[in-house]
Structures are given as C-alpha cells and as structure tokens.
Amino acid sequence: MGGLRLRMNLAYASSFFHFLLLFTFLSMLLSSTLASDFSIKEATVQELQHAFQRNQLTSRQLVEFYLNQITIQNPILKGVLEVNPDALAQADAADKERREKAPGSLSRLHGIPILVKDNIATKDKLNTTAGSYALLGSVVPRDAGVVTKLRKAGAIILGKATLSEWSHYRSVDAPSGWSARGGQGKNPYTLGDPCGSSSGSAISVAANLVTVSLGTETDGSILCPSNFNSVVGIKPTVGLTSRAGVVPISPRQDTVGPICRTVSDAAYVLDTIAGIDTLDKTTIEASKYIPKGGYAQFLKKDGLRGKRLGVVRLFYNFGNDTSLHETFKLHLRTLRERGAVLVDNLKIDDIDEIINAQSEITAFNFDFKLSLNAYLKDLIASPVKSLRDVINFNKKHSELEKLDEYGQDLMLEAEKTKGIGKAEKQALLNMTRLSQNGFEKVMKRNKLDAVVTPFSYFSNVLGIGGYPGVNVPAGYEKGMPFGICFGGLKGSEPKLIEIAYSFEQATLIRRPPPLRKLDA
C-alpha cells in the first residue's frame, strides 16, 4: 500500500510539473512585456511595492515572472523543489486587496512571493518532506509558525526550496545541496557547491527565481549558503523566530531566518516572522529581544559609526591567497572609514575545542532522535512515524534515496542514543562553558558590538550559543562569491542590521549571476 501511494505521488508530481512547464511557457509573453517600464530582476521589496502603488506591476505579473524564471533556470540550478499550484490565486487575491485597501495600510510583504525551505510546514497543496521521499505525502497538522505570520502579512507562498536532505543530517558523505527529491542544487555563479543546508533558498534568491526566501540554521545552514551564493542571510537568535512546524535537528540551536538579496529585504522578512508562538515556548523568552518598532528602523547608512568590531585573526588565515588577504584588508579599512572602531588580534578561549565540535555532535545525536520522533508523532498522516522508520524506509527504497551512494551514518548514530545520559549532559555543559568563557567573554571584556569574520567560518561559535549572525556579500574570487559575517550576542540583531546595512551600502558588491538554462 505504501509503495502504491508513493508511486501515485510521484506520478502526480511528474504530471503537475509538465503542466507547470506548459502554463509558464504560455505566460512568458505577458511576463516579459512589463519590463518596458519596470524591471523585476534584482528588484527589492521596497521597489516592488512602489511599482504596485504606481500600477506598473501586479502580484500576478510578479508571480508569472518567477514561474517563467523557474521554468528556464530550475532544471539546471534545482533551487525550487515544488511550486505552489495556488500561487497565482494568492497573487490575484493580493491584487484585489490592494485595490480595495487604503494606500499604506498593507504590510511590506503584502503581495510579495516567498519560497520556504522544504523543512518548514505549509498546510496547503505543497509537501513538507525535508527533501526525502520518506515524508512525501505526509500531512502536517498546521502551518509552521513562521508561515502563519507570512500569510497574515499577505505574502504569497510561491513554493518550497530545495535543501540538503534532512537539513544535512543524514550522512557526512552526502554533498551540500543534495536531496533525493530535489537532486543536486547548483551554485548559480559557478554551477558548483551551493553549500547547505538552506541551499535552494539561497540559489533561488540569487538567481532571481523569487523575491525573498526562508532558510533554517542549526550550524551554518543560513550563513554558509548565503556566503557561497552572494546573498544576505540573517541567522536570528534562537527563539526569536518560531520553530513550530519545522522538521528539527536540535531545538537548542535550530532557528529560522531570511535569505534575501539585500539587508533591507532581510530586515523586512525578519520583522514579519519574529515574535511569540505559543507552540514554541522558546519564543516567549526571546521576544524580549524584539525592539519596539521592529528591525527596519535600523537600516541606517551610518550604522557603522561608533560600533566596536572585534577581529579574530585566526579566521583570516587564507594561506598564500594574497588576493583574499588584500580584499579583506580593504573591507576592514572600509569599516574604519565608516566610523567603526576595530579591536584587532583577539583570541577566543578554547577555540580549537569549539571548531572540533565533538560536544556539539554528541548533543546533535540525541537532540535529532528525540525532536524528530516528536515531530513525526505530531503529523496527521505519514509514511514514517520515527527515526527508525526513516532508516528502514531508506533501506527499502534505496533506488530513490541513493542509500548505496551516500548512506545514512548520521541517522544511524542518532538512533543508537538512549536519551540524555552522563555523556550527553557533559556535552551540554561543555557547550555552555565554551560559549560563556569564549565568545561571551571576548564580547564583554572588549565591549564589542559584533565580531567580524570572513565567510561563514564563525558558524560554530554562533551555533552552540544560539547567537545571531548576518552574512553580506563581500566579493568574488575567480567567479566564486564570498561573504563577510557579523556576529553578536543574543538579541543583538538591531546592531547587526545597522552594521551589515552600512557595510552593504558602502560597498554595493553584489552582482547577479548569469542566466542559466538548458540548451535548446
């Protein structure tokens, strides 16, 4: 029965995709003509809203443009897993509401298409599978907390973004951006590694397949793909955004955040999704960090003025790559010229132990088993009801899940755990110690507003402590994008947004990737 249902789901998905190809091809003429007075490509949320107000653009035209881009580019990039069959209906509803409501009464994301990572539940015609066939056809009880807030704001759920399967917690051998359902996601700049696990969210935004997107991070899964794909990613303080309805790895470290092309767009999305959700108790305590008036007020061009930024030289070791050395020297100079005070040559205690991540790995194993089993138990219907079921599904359907090629060693290690014993408790204590005696001590002793590091190297430090970070595009090395990361203590998003926005506006480095399409 389960095999029959799976084949039916696969047949439906295939037929729907062919319908989508036909529909979007027929809409190409309409979606391309509006470029005469307004260009959608690379447009920010604010620019799109202005175009709505000036009657230069409708939400329907915007969705049709993205459906066309998905048709052209997604067969190569594989950033989008599923398109919402109700996206155009949502766009029509947004256009109608805009005509009927007073100007300025709607939210910044009203009528704006957004992709959500495929581990974030949507109670609609879309699947929520974490990229695995094991969850294809499962029925979620409700929208994820962040999706509820997006719908309330009038955003259009365009579809689901691809990801590293199970948010990269299946096998160490599985490549970043790969899932059984989605295939291998590709960096739109190089067609190489997109980094994981929120790879599709970053690919799609970078390649103009959508306006904005949501990713999730446990350790690096927003910051790394943002770094690799020349986009902005905000990894919020754990609990600032709800994890209810998100396929989990670790409730201690999981967080949902925006991936966008600009800091301003990311701030608008964060404004929308941050806040209390009674289904995620952590949001109640973390809500104290949300500033009155929201995050958009911190989009200040002079946001670097007076900020104290720490430089940990360990993370600037590029070997013999003199071009990268010179690039980051220039960036540090820009930070100073914009009024920041750089506190250089800092060291974080026990940094080798943090990077080694042994305690983090130990904690992930029991966290993953306990939290995934709880998520699966909450589903209304599902082919699998436990981590053990997932492992058995992968073995039975190895032709779908590529078991022989990539294995499932991380899942097998997690399944061996027996709850929280002595070793697990010690791992948790170790991470608390490493955070308090390491990052927190450096921040407080030097009265820092943030630490600035290249790439996403700092994700371990931010991950184990539940701290926020922001990635901003910082350049291209032989065509490969890279970013700069600003990380701070819990609740420091206002400062990080000021810093990141000021740096972005001072440099304006991001450029779009080339158009990728199959040869005719």
Side-chain angles (χ1 to χ4, degrees), residues 2-12:
L4 175 61
R5 184 179 182 185
L6 178 61
R7 287 193 295 276
M8 290 174 65
N9 277 318
L10 289 172
Y12 170 79

Side-chain angles (χ1 to χ4, degrees), residues 84 86 90 97 107 109-111 114 116 120-126 142-158 160 272-273:
N84 188 353
D86 293 328
Q90 290 181 25
E97 195 169 20
S107 82
L109 291 190
H110 184 272
I114 184 168
V116 299
I120 300 173
T122 54
K123 185 68 171 172
D124 52 20
K125 295 173 185 175
L126 293 165
R142 64 192 71 85
D143 280 334
V146 290
V147 173
T148 298
K149 291 179 183 297
L150 288 171
R151 292 196 199 276
K152 185 177 180 181
I156 297 165
I157 307 301
L158 185 64
K160 292 295 182 73
T272 302
I273 63 174

